[in-house]
Amino acid sequence: MLRQFIVFAAVAFNCFAARVELNWDVGYVFGIRDGFTYRRAIGVNGELPFPPVHVTQGDTLVINVHNSLDVPTSIHAHGLLNNGTNYYDGPDMVTQCGIPPGESFTYVLETKNQFGTFWIHGHTRHQEVDGLHTPLIIHSRKQPVVDYDEELIMTFEDWFTTEFAVRQAYIDSLEDIRTLTSNFPKALINGYDGNNTAPITFVPGKRYRLRVICMSINNWFKFRIPGHTMTLIEADGVESMPLEVDGLSMGPGQRYSVIVTAHDSDEFNYMYNVTSYSDALVSQGLTPMVYTGLINY
């Protein structure tokens, strides 16, 4: 009887699974992301930031990547295990050759055994630093450890005024690394200048799941919502027992899910705080840098 139930459950799980197929044209885009500097960056289908990817546990995610850059490229789904399929993992010259300019490659990513908060980023020539990244959300088919009404994504990035290749050439040209003049990055929140990103809207009494992703290359970020309590329920794609916290401290690549309950009254709005800092790039008092954003009731 138990064996029959297990077989039935497996069949039912597979019946609900879908094949989600995306076409990504990776190419150069131009714009001002930090509120100051117009520069070349890397986007998908002419967009930066480009849309998050949403699938449900058990789905097969297929991403057809065409390379419109003038150098090789590849992508990596950060946190996916790729058991038995490491040729889809993305690290250039480790598990695959980079996709040559003008060529295409198809990634087939299985999500049967994982769910939670992840992200996809470039894995060739540090192209993730220049914009090639986006959230990947794998929704669970089971009941969450804490019920909630709605979920929101928050992303943090460090953003430099020049492309990675330019900074790399400068560093390589130095005879004495101690003469390095660091180019401390600005911070982006949800893809835009940290102090000018769009407000978050809370409806009084509702419970929200915030999926917080640190998509930085160097900087750490601290995140707090004064006047609100966060309940941690997920870390790096793994569910956790609910734990109340005052805030989050996140290094590059880390992801958390927290539950935040909105106040019952809309009498006041609130501000959230994001602090970007780095011990590796100490530059004329520019670290830490503090940003604020509006929570609109």
Side-chain angles (χ1 to χ4, degrees), residues 21-41:
E21 188 160 354
L22 304 174
N23 295 316
W24 281 10
D25 185 3
V26 176
Y28 296 113
V29 296
F30 292 83
I32 302 173
R33 302 190 73 200
D34 60 1
F36 298 97
T37 308
Y38 182 81
R39 53 157 288 196
R40 188 173 77 165

Side-chain angles (χ1 to χ4, degrees), residues 4-191:
Q4 291 176 331
F5 174 79
I6 293 174
V7 170
F8 174 78
V11 171
F13 186 90
N14 289 330
C15 286
F16 286 109
R19 181 181 175 91
V20 179
E21 188 160 354
L22 304 174
N23 295 316
W24 281 10
D25 185 3
V26 176
Y28 296 113
V29 296
F30 292 83
I32 302 173
R33 302 190 73 200
D34 60 1
F36 298 97
T37 308
Y38 182 81
R39 53 157 288 196
R40 188 173 77 165
I42 299 176
V44 166
N45 299 336
E47 294 184 84
L48 184 64
F50 50 99
V53 177
H54 289 267
V55 296
T56 302
Q57 182 186 9
D59 290 351
T60 299
L61 173 60
V62 179
I63 305 179
N64 303 308
V65 177
H66 178 76
N67 182 11
S68 290
L69 304 174
D70 55 10
V71 294
T73 192
S74 65
I75 62 169
H76 168 69
H78 193 105
L80 257 62
L81 298 177
N82 288 308
N83 288 332
T85 56
N86 68 337
Y87 38 82
Y88 293 134
D89 196 43
D92 183 17
M93 305 311 295
V94 178
T95 59
Q96 72 165 96
C97 296
I99 306 168
E103 300 296 327
S104 302
F105 183 80
T106 296
Y107 294 85
V108 181
L109 305 173
E110 300 293 345
T111 68
K112 184 179 297 183
N113 299 316
Q114 292 182 266
F115 60 88
T117 307
F118 305 86
W119 60 303
I120 299 175
H121 61 79
H123 218 304
T124 297
R125 300 181 181 223
H126 293 283
Q127 291 165 356
E128 74 278 11
V129 188
D130 292 323
L132 185 52
H133 51 236
T134 196
L136 167 62
I137 309 301
I138 304 177
H139 298 277
S140 174
R141 294 190 181 275
K142 69 177 186 177
Q143 190 75 10
V145 293
V146 175
D147 289 331
Y148 54 89
D149 300 301
E150 189 178 337
E151 63 178 57
L152 304 170
I153 300 173
M154 289 200 69
T155 62
F156 307 139
E157 306 170 48
D158 45 12
W159 189 250
F160 294 83
T161 58
T162 55
E163 295 177 59
F164 177 83
V166 175
R167 296 196 309 281
Q168 184 67 57
Y170 162 64
I171 293 172
D172 291 344
S173 70
L174 297 176
E175 295 184 4
D176 185 346
I177 194 64
R178 291 173 295 181
T179 64
L180 172 67
T181 301
S182 64
N183 171 213
F184 197 81
K186 300 292 193 300
L188 306 182
I189 300 173
N190 293 336

